[in-house]
Amino acid sequence: MGYNRLDMSEYRPQAIEEKWQQRWRDSRAFEVTEDRARPKFYCLEMFAYPSGHAHVGHVRNYMIGDVMARTKRMRGFNVLHPFGWDAFGLPAENAAIKNGIHPETSTLANIAHMKGQLQRLGISYAWERELATCMPDYYRWNQWLFLRMFERDLAYRRRSTVNWCSSCQTVLANEQVVDGGCWRCHTLVTNRDLEQWFFRITHYADELLSAIDTLTDWPEKVLTMQRNWIGRSEGARIRFPLVDPSGTGGSTDIEVFTTRIDTIYGATFVLLAPEHALVERLAAESADPASLRASADRFRRQERSARITGDAEKEGFSTGRFALNPFTGEQVPIWVANFVLGEYGTGAVMAVPAHDQRDFEFATKYRLPIRVVIQPEADGAQPLDAAVLTAAYSEPGRVVNSGDCSGLWSTDALVTMAEMAERRGIGQRTVQFRLKDWGVSRQRYWGTPIPIIHCAACGLVPVPDDQLPVELPRITEFTGRGDSPLASVPEFVNVPCPRCGAPARRETDTMDTFVDSSWYFYRFCDAKNSTQAFDPATVAYWGPVDFYSGGVEHAILHLIYSRFFARVFRDLGMVNHGEPFARLLTQGMVLKDGAVMSKSKGNVVDPDDMIRKYGADALRLYVMFVAPPEKEVEWTDAGLEGAFRFLMRVWRFVQAWREAVARASGDAIAAGSLSDAERALRRKTHDTIRRVTQDIDPRVHLNTAVSALMELVNELYLFSEQHTTAGATTRRMEEGLAVAGERPETVAVLREAIEALVLMLSPFTPHMAEELWEGLGKSGGIVVEPWPSFDPEVARADEVVVPVQVNGKLRGRITVPADCDEDTIRAAALADPAVAVHTAGRTVKKVIVAKGKLVSIVVQ
RNA sequence: GCGAAAGUGGCGGAACUGGCAGACGCGCUGGACUUAGGAUCCAGUAGCCGAAAGGCUGUGGGGGUUCAAAUCCCCCCUUUCGCACCA
């Protein structure tokens, strides 16, 4: 066959990919140890929930990290790039309830499958450090940390109203309630009173907020979301004494939280949340307890569902009782209102209808008094009149009708009146956070057992460290009932109290899986440690994570919890930094038919299908090229074909020149005198090195890095066609043309270009790059090869083309020496015939020379 | 409602500090090579006028700053995302 030679050199990705993956595995190419002589780079992608199958959205995230890791490695960094599994969680348990397969069985099977998928992509993971959070050698450290937090009062137990998902039959953290529904199944969330374990994240609320300013390499969007979530507001707590109906002085106060104490003279009633503790007492003391209780009950139930429909009508009822406004000394009515939140502030507010829109609506509806205490002073502002007010005025202004404070500017009154309250002992300034303590109890099986024993005599007794881990018992039946499944395992529950030896009961709740994911990045540094969670010295070397990428859906949950845990570990003396992730990249999702890929929608693109068709390298290249990493993209098969075509183009070109280039001497460039075309090709090569290097790091514009490589390949084809004796690449291959006739200089510049191309391609398409590199006669593999270096001398053009504008319009282009001075450029621009046409007969008023960029001529 | 980000060819996108708008790719059109081409190579591809040279218009809309604006400022429109009675 005449086409034998072409067949021999055809690009067959599958065989190549298997070969190199095997070599990397055999040589443990991506395992690392601490090496203080080299700068470290900790590159991490958010570990995976083993749902069963990876889709191309996963692929995109892992590729971003792999390009960074591989590039950094070539640039001399000691790169830690690990991977693992967020293996506990509800779906596995739900599946068990449905089909009877034990969560451990399905989880391990899913991990095995997904691991295979990822390995077929050739990601440069240090697989030796792989971890799965469902393994006792991982979760025992969750338990260890829980106990340290318990000792420090950072983990505590209290009865509380919790978010309850009736479908998942479990408690949800506030962060897991989305639009009033369960974040996972969207079922309407209801309330339930349970004894729950909490982590005191609010202890770090101020620091978690203020340190956001130090996260300069995080997306602004994520920082804003975290700021809002923590929600700090400065204000005051003020006590309104409850007026006893019998007239005798009661000792009860209603404490309200306000950020607008400057309006307190306008507080004409007090509002309680339906959940407020006083509501039950006032009901009991009222004439008709049953009716008040029923109304409060109705509000409590309404609360959650109202959020979904958006704005529930503001409703309330009077308790028939009064409180004393401590500033005015007036008796003000106490109402219960559905829009007052029990869990924020004190669960009670002073209502100032003239200056708060919600209070205004409420007062209008129920004909409660409205009193203006702030007057606007803007130009042309009409004085407010309570009788004709149509909306609350909530801007700053002049304080009026407010005793000694009248006449103050409202923002000053904020301070003055708070001080007055403190002096009089009726309140104090406080900072209130929206962030609440993290409820970590889950009444589920597939999670970390909480290492606490309940003893009738001793109370809450921690499991001694030397008895960790408390292993999950193997249970065989999954019913999905509301109680913790662990409660049905007597040999697990019934234990002697570690302190007094009396019969006691184990805690049967398990931990929220977000506990697992809040510190796994430390475990990766020292994944096999069997005596501690990690060696602090090792984490001191690797930490913090330098580059972290994952979905924006973790902007608050995982990323706040991890920042919290970093501080807990810091205060335990185990890490020396506060922020665990120096740089964060939130990658955009990959959509198919405009929707997120999911099994139920049937629009999942399986990477294995793509690998079978085009190879892993084409898939990798495509997902990097299609758009900037942060952007959402729509999957198209045509785009993947384009990436594959490009790789074939590279492959053919390198094959065509392989032998000639492998034999070439590197001296030819230095010794010989280059033709213009050869110099231009060198320039393109070095300019491409510069662009690709910067595009990858620090810019992480991986799509433009790829396009720069495509440009270089286009240039190489043109050069081969026009400036070599062999001519067109295809013919050269088909006819098996000899290479002997080529100028040594030509081969030398081609060699430089091809080598740089293959090296720079290697983070994107590592298998093909390795294969080509080997074909070029190189040994040792690209993974140990240094990144090509850019020579600004070579990249600099001798001549540059400078566009010339006349009155802002492009009129000509001049070619001048690159080191030309301004006067010469100006003269050349004015002399250019195309420019002269537009300046003829006019006065040149101004000539601006933007060095190396453009000449701008202003004429009149 | 509040907050954030973004609007560029038929499509994905590029344009780094204000300096040639549309790189690179997809798609489309034409040509070469071919028994054939859905392979490959070459060329063209924002709109309008023009045979061409060239000219005019153009980065959601309107205004402004500047020699020069996709980029900076003001107003408006649209989309996406986040928060959503937080007192």
Side-chain angles (χ1 to χ4, degrees):
Chain A
M1 289 287 284
Y3 289 83
N4 215 15
R5 199 181 167 88
L6 182 63
D7 287 351
M8 290 280 289
S9 53
E10 197 140 352
Y11 172 46
R12 289 202 184 78
Q14 290 78 8
I16 293 171
E17 288 167 5
E18 228 170 280
K19 164 183 164 184
W20 286 101
Q21 284 164 16
Q22 188 60 48
R23 287 218 195 159
W24 293 329
R25 224 182 341 264
D26 293 347
S27 64
R28 298 160 55 94
F30 308 116
E31 185 44 72
V32 280
T33 52
E34 294 80 72
D35 175 359
R36 264 151 245 285
R38 281 193 299 159
K40 66 93 186 180
F41 187 76
Y42 187 175
C43 182
L44 185 66
E45 297 101 59
M46 289 181 190
F47 67 167
Y49 179 77
S51 58
H53 297 267
H55 55 68
V56 290
H58 293 103
V59 173
R60 189 174 183 211
N61 186 29
Y62 306 148
M63 281 318 118
I64 295 165
D66 200 40
V67 169
M68 298 307 286
R70 286 179 178 270
T71 305
K72 283 288 189 178
R73 219 174 264 128
M74 292 173 80
R75 292 178 72 179
F77 287 82
N78 192 26
V79 174
L80 175 59
H81 189 214
F83 196 75
W85 309 97
D86 189 11
F88 273 139
L90 276 180
E93 191 167 345
N94 289 342
I97 292 164
K98 210 166 144 192
N99 57 31
I101 299 171
H102 194 277
E104 183 176 25
T105 309
S106 60
T107 301
L108 295 183
N110 286 350
I111 288 176
H113 179 81
M114 288 176 77
K115 183 175 180 180
Q117 287 184 297
L118 299 189
Q119 288 186 324
R120 285 187 285 282
L121 287 162
I123 308 171
S124 65
Y125 286 135
W127 280 111
E128 292 87 342
R129 292 166 188 257
E130 178 183 12
L131 62 80
T133 57
C134 63
M135 306 308 282
D137 64 355
Y138 184 83
Y139 69 69
R140 75 173 289 184
W141 303 112
N142 282 348
Q143 297 171 338
W144 176 88
L145 182 66
F146 185 99
L147 294 175
R148 300 292 83 74
M149 292 172 75
F150 182 65
E151 287 160 8
R152 285 160 180 76
D153 197 35
L154 288 170
Y156 65 95
R157 188 171 159 88
R158 72 170 146 89
R159 188 165 193 84
S160 80
T161 305
V162 295
N163 308 301
W164 177 260
C165 172
S166 57
S167 162
C168 300
Q169 289 279 310
T170 193
V171 167
L172 300 173
N174 292 313
E175 288 86 343
Q176 292 166 338
V177 178
V178 179
D179 288 336
C182 172
W183 69 305
R184 217 171 246 296
C185 66
H186 311 295
T187 304
L188 212 62
V189 169
T190 53
N191 291 345
R192 236 193 183 198
D193 278 345
L194 285 176
E195 284 282 324
Q196 296 286 304
W197 285 98
F198 287 87
F199 283 164
R200 203 179 298 280
I201 189 172
T202 53
H203 177 72
Y204 294 97
D206 243 327
E207 194 193 336
L208 287 170
L209 182 70
S210 60
I212 285 176
D213 296 337
T214 68
L215 298 173
T216 51
D217 286 328
W218 282 39
E220 194 55 45
K221 177 194 172 80
V222 174
L223 300 181
T224 305
M225 284 167 70
Q226 292 215 353
R227 278 193 195 97
N228 292 342
W229 192 261
I230 296 169
R232 181 181 200 272
S233 38
E234 289 183 15
R237 287 178 180 228
I238 306 293
R239 283 184 291 282
F240 282 51
L242 179 67
V243 176
D244 200 296
S246 63
T248 56
S251 56
T252 308
D253 290 326
I254 298 172
E255 194 177 36
V256 303
F257 173 73
T258 179
T259 55
R260 289 296 304 272
I261 193 175
D262 55 316
T263 64
I264 196 165
Y265 278 86
T268 50
F269 52 99
V270 165
L271 293 173
L272 302 180
E275 298 86 2
H276 197 282
L278 201 57
V279 173
E280 168 52 30
R281 186 185 134 190
L282 296 186
E285 292 174 7
S286 77
D288 185 1
S291 132
L292 288 192
R293 282 193 188 114
S295 303
D297 263 0
R298 191 168 66 80
F299 285 174
R300 276 198 288 269
R301 274 197 302 276
Q302 176 192 32
E303 179 88 12
R304 299 279 168 197
S305 51
R307 282 194 186 156
I308 296 184
T309 56
D311 37 9
E313 175 77 14
K314 288 180 180 44
E315 280 188 89
F317 59 87
S318 169
T319 63
R321 298 282 291 274
F322 292 85
L324 221 51
N325 182 325
F327 275 71
T328 62
E330 288 172 333
Q331 290 198 4
V332 294
I334 302 169
W335 285 58
V336 175
N338 63 347
F339 67 90
V340 178
L341 304 175
E343 69 268 23
Y344 184 77
T346 61
V349 300
M350 62 178 211
V352 186
H355 305 293
D356 181 282
Q357 186 58 26
R358 293 156 301 182
D359 299 345
F360 179 81
E361 288 169 25
F362 195 83
T364 311
K365 178 168 180 176
Y366 294 106
R367 303 184 186 290
L368 290 159
I370 300 172
R371 181 185 298 153
V372 171
V373 293
I374 307 281
Q375 286 291 0
E377 280 196 352
D379 287 342
Q382 295 293 311
L384 303 174
D385 177 358
V388 297
L389 211 57
T390 55
Y393 175 79
S394 51
E395 302 299 306
R398 190 66 62 189
V399 175
V400 298
N401 298 326
S402 297
D404 294 345
C405 294
S406 296
L408 289 174
W409 189 251
S410 62
T411 47
D412 298 328
L414 224 43
V415 180
T416 312
M417 292 163 91
E419 282 168 355
M420 284 168 70
E422 284 179 352
R423 260 200 317 279
R424 290 173 50 197
I426 55 167
Q428 59 284 317
R429 276 171 281 195
T430 53
V431 173
Q432 184 65 44
F433 290 96
R434 217 185 74 112
L435 181 72
K436 286 180 266 301
D437 280 338
W438 171 14
V440 295
S441 288
R442 295 292 180 272
Q443 289 69 49
R444 299 300 296 228
Y445 169 76
W446 194 229
T448 304
I450 290 175
I452 294 286
I453 291 165
H454 299 267
C455 170
C458 310
L460 298 173
V461 182
V463 173
D465 280 2
D466 60 11
Q467 289 174 28
L468 298 182
V470 176
E471 284 201 42
L472 258 185
R474 179 103 189 163
I475 67 172
T476 50
E477 216 187 325
F478 294 88
T479 63
R481 282 187 303 108
D483 302 336
S484 175
L486 294 182
S488 66
V489 186
E491 51 285 20
F492 176 81
V493 175
N494 299 315
V495 286
C497 168
R499 201 164 287 164
C500 71
R505 291 176 55 84
R506 259 189 216 289
E507 171 66 58
T508 56
D509 283 356
T510 51
M511 293 183 207
D512 181 1
T513 57
F514 276 97
V515 175
D516 314 347
S517 55
S518 294
W519 68 281
Y520 75 102
F521 40 90
Y522 292 137
R523 183 67 181 172
F524 274 141
C525 299
D526 194 13
K528 301 277 183 268
N529 199 322
S530 58
T531 59
Q532 32 181 353
F534 52 83
D535 172 23
T538 306
V539 167
Y541 174 78
W542 288 115
V545 175
D546 294 282
F547 182 86
Y548 194 36
S549 71
V552 71
E553 65 272 19
H554 295 109
I556 22 195
L557 301 174
H558 165 58
L559 289 170
I560 279 192
Y561 294 151
S562 297
R563 296 181 60 221
F564 165 46
F565 268 41
R567 285 165 173 80
V568 173
F569 278 118
R570 181 198 61 196
D571 293 348
L572 287 170
M574 291 186 67
V575 306
N576 52 13
H577 56 257
E579 290 299 338
F581 312 120
R583 178 165 191 176
L584 175 71
L585 185 140
T586 50
Q587 124 267 7
M589 285 183 296
V590 180
L591 308 179
K592 182 77 201 292
D593 309 320
V596 184
M597 289 182 195
S598 74
K599 241 187 270 176
S600 58
K601 291 199 194 81
N603 62 349
V604 173
V605 179
D606 189 323
D608 280 331
D609 295 341
M610 299 301 132
I611 291 173
R612 265 192 297 277
K613 220 166 156 187
Y614 301 102
D617 280 338
L619 175 60
R620 293 174 55 118
L621 187 77
Y622 169 61
V623 295
M624 293 297 91
F625 174 64
V626 66
E630 295 86 349
K631 277 209 66 160
E632 204 166 77
V633 293
E634 173 72 26
W635 175 267
T636 65
D637 288 356
L640 176 56
E641 277 173 43
F644 182 71
R645 270 204 293 274
F646 169 72
L647 289 184
M648 288 204 295
R649 219 164 127 78
V650 172
W651 181 263
R652 277 196 306 271
F653 190 83
V654 178
Q655 293 302 335
W657 286 98
R658 195 167 61 86
E659 286 176 32
V661 153
R663 283 204 305 265
S665 142
D667 305 339
I669 290 176
S673 60
L674 302 185
S675 69
D676 286 351
E678 287 157 0
R679 269 211 307 282
L681 180 60
R682 283 204 79 197
R683 203 149 58 228
K684 185 68 180 175
T685 301
H686 281 264
D687 193 51
T688 304
I689 295 172
R690 182 186 60 80
R691 282 171 62 190
V692 172
T693 305
Q694 286 178 4
D695 276 353
I696 295 176
D697 179 43
R699 297 181 74 204
V700 203
H701 286 200
L702 305 183
N703 55 326
T704 53
V706 175
S707 33
L709 291 170
M710 289 173 166
E711 280 185 50
L712 178 60
V713 171
N714 290 345
E715 194 87 357
L716 282 169
Y717 266 79
L718 276 180
F719 180 87
S720 171
E721 174 93 26
Q722 294 170 2
H723 301 289
T724 68
T725 56
T729 304
T730 313
R731 198 175 75 240
R732 181 186 177 83
M733 289 180 65
E734 288 175 359
E735 297 170 7
L737 283 179
V739 293
E742 222 60 71
R743 265 163 58 85
E745 291 87 347
T746 299
V747 179
V749 294
L750 275 170
R751 172 177 145 145
E752 183 182 42
I754 288 171
E755 288 184 3
L757 171 69
V758 172
L759 288 171
M760 290 190 288
L761 219 37
S762 72
F764 298 93
T765 60
H767 315 87
M768 179 207 241
E770 289 278 17
E771 186 70 16
L772 292 176
W773 194 247
E774 192 180 55
L776 289 167
K778 312 285 185 177
S779 57
I782 271 186
V783 294
V784 296
E785 206 65 35
W787 189 252
S789 57
F790 151 73
D791 183 346
E793 275 308 306
V794 176
R796 195 166 67 219
D798 314 329
E799 290 186 320
V800 289
V801 176
V802 179
V804 182
Q805 293 182 344
V806 179
N807 284 356
K809 284 196 168 48
L810 181 69
R811 296 302 184 185
R813 288 191 173 81
I814 55 171
T815 305
V816 296
D819 51 2
C820 195
D821 63 86
E822 274 193 30
D823 288 339
T824 315
I825 296 173
R826 180 177 296 126
L830 289 167
D832 184 73
V835 173
V837 170
H838 293 92
T839 56
R842 314 232 216 159
T843 316
V844 175
K845 291 194 68 179
K846 205 195 256 188
V847 180
I848 292 144
V849 179
K851 197 111 187 55
K853 284 178 181 163
L854 154 150
V855 179
S856 184
I857 299 168
V858 188
V859 297
Q860 196 162 34

